[in-house]
């Protein structure tokens, strides 16, 4: 079952534009926080893919906000918060209503926003 879930998550993140590597030893190299191009939708849930690039870092927890706006230009307001592991995704329950969504990831002193607001009505 774990292999099936891992394969499904890897496939989902690949579609979202992120690649998933195997966890490695922590490194002192600088890591760059990255997000998928947009918020994704699967299994009646919204998700935001996140990762760390430029380093071989062990699995690290990343804070992720789901933000919603009435237009693609914003402004956006946080409607939910969750955590994801680098190379994974933060999942959010449906029920946040119709609107344009972006994800905002935070790790250490870095913040990244999904560049393409996406409209969902759930």
């Amino acid at each position: 079952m774990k292999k099936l879930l891992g394969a499904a998550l890897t496939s989902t993140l690949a579609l979202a534009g992120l690649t998933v590597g195997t966890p490695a030893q922590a490194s002192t190299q600088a890591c760059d926080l990255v997000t998928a191009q947009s918020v994704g939708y699967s299994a009646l849930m919204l998700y935001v893919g996140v990762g760390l690039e430029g380093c071989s870092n062990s699995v690290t927890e990343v804070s992720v906000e789901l933000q919603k706006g009435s237009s693609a230009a914003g402004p956006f307001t946080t409607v939910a918060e969750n955590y994801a592991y680098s190379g994974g995704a933060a999942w959010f329950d449906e029920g946040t209503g119709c609107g344009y969504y972006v994800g905002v990831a935070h790790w250490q002193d870095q913040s990244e926003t999904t560049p393409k607001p996406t409209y969902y009505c759930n």
Side-chain angles (χ1 to χ4, degrees):
M1 183 67 169
K2 283 186 179 182
K3 286 184 181 181
L4 179 62
L5 289 174
L9 179 58
T10 300
S11 298
T12 300
L13 293 176
L15 289 174
L18 290 176
T19 58
V20 179
T22 54
Q25 296 295 321
S27 171
T28 57
Q29 294 175 313
C31 297
D32 291 321
L33 177 63
V34 295
T35 64
Q37 290 294 306
S38 61
V39 173
Y41 180 78
S42 178
L44 301 176
M45 296 179 76
L46 299 176
Y47 65 89
V48 178
V50 298
L52 296 172
E53 290 184 347
C55 64
S56 56
N57 201 17
S58 61
V59 176
T60 302
E61 201 169 60
V62 176
S63 171
V64 182
E65 299 173 10
L66 181 66
Q67 296 187 353
K68 180 176 121 178
S70 58
S71 77
F76 296 94
T77 304
T78 300
V79 293
E81 296 179 40
N82 204 349
Y83 289 91
Y85 290 107
S86 60
W91 291 83
F92 301 93
D93 291 333
E94 66 176 336
T96 50
C98 299
Y100 290 87
Y101 289 90
V102 295
V104 181
H106 304 281
W107 179 73
Q108 293 185 345
D109 62 345
Q110 300 179 51
S111 292
E112 287 294 326
T113 302
T114 55
K116 296 180 181 176
T118 306
Y119 185 83
Y120 291 106
C121 198
N122 56 359

